[in-house]
Amino acid sequence: MKITAIVNGISSQLDTCLEELNSVSENIQVRITQNHGDATLFAQDACNSGTEFIIVCGGDGTLNEGVNGMLMSQNPKCLFGLYPIGSANDYAHVIGGGTISQLIACAKNKTQESVDIGVIRWSAQQRYFCNISAAGIGAEIAATFNARRFKMGIRLNYYSAIIQWLSMYSAPNLEIRIDGKSLRGKTLLSAIGKGVYAGNGLALLPQSELNDGSLGLTIATNVGVIDFIRFQGRLKKGKRINDARVQYLKGTQIEIQVIDGTLAIDADGEFIARIKKGESISYSILKNELNFVRPNTDTRVTI
């Protein structure tokens, strides 16, 4: 089996990961990222060169880049596995991961699961995502976290960014359409996706499932700092917030149009766009698009 490992070159666990890759008997091509976009190029090149199994060694951002590269290649059905060593491993909390040896054994035995992938379209652009796309304050928080990720601890970085943006964010006026139903108003956060967790373990989409053919949509309106402090216990436990300002929905086609203001967008924690008044962004689903290798044991990451 031809195997390629794409490794996040700035991971704090880089040395441990490389040691494990070198310890297995299989001949693995190892590509180490240095710049934004490297994982996309590496995955596309690997799939076009006949790789049968890609192991992404990183977090949500590295996985997102790798999946986009694979789906842009001539071999978009390559097997995928995750060795979670990122600063945020929110998707791994649901999909699981495994040691390098476990992942290779499962790939050889075809122990895999087909999972859905989300598609984001805006202007003339397109981006795939595995976990969650945040529109609004969530994307601003992610951008702030990524800009200062080496300046403080992961949890402190996330929570300080959340509190900072909750205290200063001006919510845009949006029209959100989900399977023909229209919702209008000022919206703090719209979270769309297949995963459950974002922001280092906050359950923004507890209603989501990996392969049910639908997208989860959570909408939050005028939630403040005190509300977040009050809600975070339930968010960390994967439970819904019982508050009229938070709605949990599911659908297959979602479109967001900016009526007034600007709207930041991310994909799996990576900032991708900012759209303004009169512009829109759409979300759809690719059913069972990603062939994900999952060990039989429960290897979900505890956050």
Side-chain angles (χ1 to χ4, degrees), residues 218-278:
T218 296
I219 300 170
T221 54
N222 57 329
V223 175
V225 174
I226 300 301
D227 297 309
F228 170 71
I229 294 171
R230 185 163 56 89
F231 294 159
Q232 67 170 313
R234 296 187 67 84
L235 290 169
K236 295 296 288 186
K237 293 177 181 177
K239 297 181 178 180
R240 298 188 184 210
I241 302 300
N242 298 316
D243 190 293
R245 295 169 295 175
V246 182
Q247 297 184 63
Y248 297 98
L249 306 166
K250 293 183 82 170
T252 57
Q253 298 286 335
I254 298 169
E255 183 177 1
I256 302 175
Q257 182 174 11
V258 180
I259 305 302
D260 190 40
T262 60
L263 183 67
I265 309 291
D266 79 18
D268 295 334
E270 300 295 318
F271 181 89
I272 60 170
R274 193 182 303 278
I275 61 175
K276 58 184 185 295
K277 181 178 179 179

Side-chain angles (χ1 to χ4, degrees), residues 30-298:
V30 178
R31 305 291 302 273
I32 302 175
T33 68
Q34 299 295 332
N35 300 298
H36 180 75
D38 280 354
T40 299
L41 297 175
F42 293 164
Q44 186 173 16
D45 179 64
C47 291
N48 287 339
S49 301
T51 287
E52 300 165 82
F53 180 35
I54 291 178
I55 304 173
V56 171
C57 306
D60 301 317
T62 309
L63 179 63
N64 178 276
E65 286 193 14
V67 168
N68 274 270
M70 181 196 69
L71 292 176
M72 291 188 293
S73 77
Q74 298 169 9
N75 179 26
K77 292 297 183 180
C78 182
L79 292 176
F80 240 76
L82 178 62
Y83 181 79
I85 57 167
S87 55
N89 298 299
D90 288 308
Y91 192 61
H93 191 40
V94 177
I95 194 72
T99 66
I100 300 299
S101 297
Q102 285 176 329
L103 292 169
I104 292 172
C106 289
K108 289 181 175 180
N109 294 329
K110 304 297 183 183
T111 305
Q112 66 189 65
E113 181 175 352
S114 296
V115 298
D116 301 343
I117 293 293
V119 187
I120 311 170
R121 295 182 176 91
W122 74 101
S123 301
Q125 300 186 66
Q126 176 175 289
R127 182 74 170 252
Y128 303 102
F129 68 105
C130 301
N131 189 41
I132 292 176
S133 170
I137 193 172
E140 302 287 10
I141 291 167
T144 297
F145 169 84
N146 289 329
R148 63 188 191 193
R149 68 172 67 195
F150 301 113
K151 298 179 181 179
M152 62 182 75
I154 293 171
R155 193 174 296 273
L156 176 60
N157 190 354
Y158 268 118
Y159 277 75
S160 62
I162 289 169
I163 292 171
Q164 173 187 334
W165 278 100
L166 281 172
S167 63
M168 62 183 281
Y169 187 68
S170 178
N173 190 14
L174 307 176
E175 180 177 6
I176 302 173
R177 293 183 286 274
I178 175 168
D179 292 349
K181 180 181 179 181
S182 180
L183 304 167
R184 293 176 66 107
K186 288 194 172 183
T187 305
L188 185 80
L189 169 70
S190 302
I192 303 101
K194 296 300 306 176
V196 174
Y197 298 92
N200 198 33
L202 301 177
L204 300 185
L205 293 174
Q207 74 273 36
S208 288
E209 298 177 53
L210 290 174
N211 50 12
D212 66 347
S214 67
L215 290 165
L217 168 64
T218 296
I219 300 170
T221 54
N222 57 329
V223 175
V225 174
I226 300 301
D227 297 309
F228 170 71
I229 294 171
R230 185 163 56 89
F231 294 159
Q232 67 170 313
R234 296 187 67 84
L235 290 169
K236 295 296 288 186
K237 293 177 181 177
K239 297 181 178 180
R240 298 188 184 210
I241 302 300
N242 298 316
D243 190 293
R245 295 169 295 175
V246 182
Q247 297 184 63
Y248 297 98
L249 306 166
K250 293 183 82 170
T252 57
Q253 298 286 335
I254 298 169
E255 183 177 1
I256 302 175
Q257 182 174 11
V258 180
I259 305 302
D260 190 40
T262 60
L263 183 67
I265 309 291
D266 79 18
D268 295 334
E270 300 295 318
F271 181 89
I272 60 170
R274 193 182 303 278
I275 61 175
K276 58 184 185 295
K277 181 178 179 179
E279 296 179 333
S280 62
I281 189 164
S282 68
Y283 295 83
S284 58
I285 197 79
L286 294 177
K287 175 69 173 171
N288 295 334
E289 186 69 18
L290 182 61
N291 295 318
F292 217 100
V293 170
R294 303 180 71 183
N296 289 323
T297 56
D298 188 352

